[in-house]
Amino acid sequence: MTSTTTLSGGFVPVCRLEQLEVERGATALVHGQAVAVFRTYDDQVFALGNYDPFSKSSVIARGIVGTRGETPFVASPVYKQAFDLRTGACLDDPGVSIPAYEVKVEDGVVLVGPRLTHPKRG
């Protein structure tokens, strides 16, 4: 999926919600960055950077989606490290994270926005 239109607030339309398979990832090019977009079983949509820092490859969109307790995550298909879909934080190594992006759905269209900023962990 590729999008060239930027809406107010820096949001980019990437696809229609129904085009995203449940519990699967898809890759979109947003502001020149490869972003992995996920739709969970309860129709929440998340976007993370597609680059896996452990395997040093762009594979996050092909990861395994699940939950740990109340935390939705995607596990890299290579070495299986899990990343929180909401924040990009690695659940297996607290010193590692991948970018997470704002996402909203308007009129059935998935829009990916700016990269989320999170406070540094102590």
Side-chain angles (χ1 to χ4, degrees):
M1 295 178 206
T2 303
S3 182
T4 56
T5 304
T6 301
L7 304 176
S8 65
F11 282 86
V12 174
V14 295
C15 64
R16 297 205 49 83
L17 180 62
E18 68 265 10
Q19 292 176 299
L20 289 175
E21 290 186 54
V22 175
E23 303 288 313
R24 303 262 183 183
T27 307
L29 189 60
V30 178
H31 300 299
Q33 299 297 312
V35 175
V37 182
F38 299 92
R39 175 182 171 195
T40 58
Y41 67 92
D42 57 357
D43 279 339
Q44 291 189 70
V45 182
F46 301 95
L48 298 176
N50 195 44
Y51 183 77
D52 175 5
F54 293 98
S55 68
K56 300 191 181 339
S57 51
S58 296
V59 294
I60 296 299
R62 296 190 317 224
I64 301 160
V65 176
T67 57
R68 282 192 191 170
E70 297 294 316
T71 304
F73 74 88
V74 61
S76 169
V78 180
Y79 297 123
K80 309 301 185 252
Q81 283 86 1
F83 296 92
D84 186 327
L85 285 171
R86 302 166 301 181
T87 66
C90 181
L91 302 178
D92 302 310
D93 184 338
V96 178
S97 66
I98 58 177
Y101 296 85
E102 289 186 50
V103 178
K104 60 185 176 180
V105 178
E106 291 183 352
D107 298 322
V109 176
V110 176
L111 304 165
V112 177
R115 183 175 172 169
L116 295 171
T117 56
H118 300 286
K120 294 198 184 242
R121 292 185 240 169

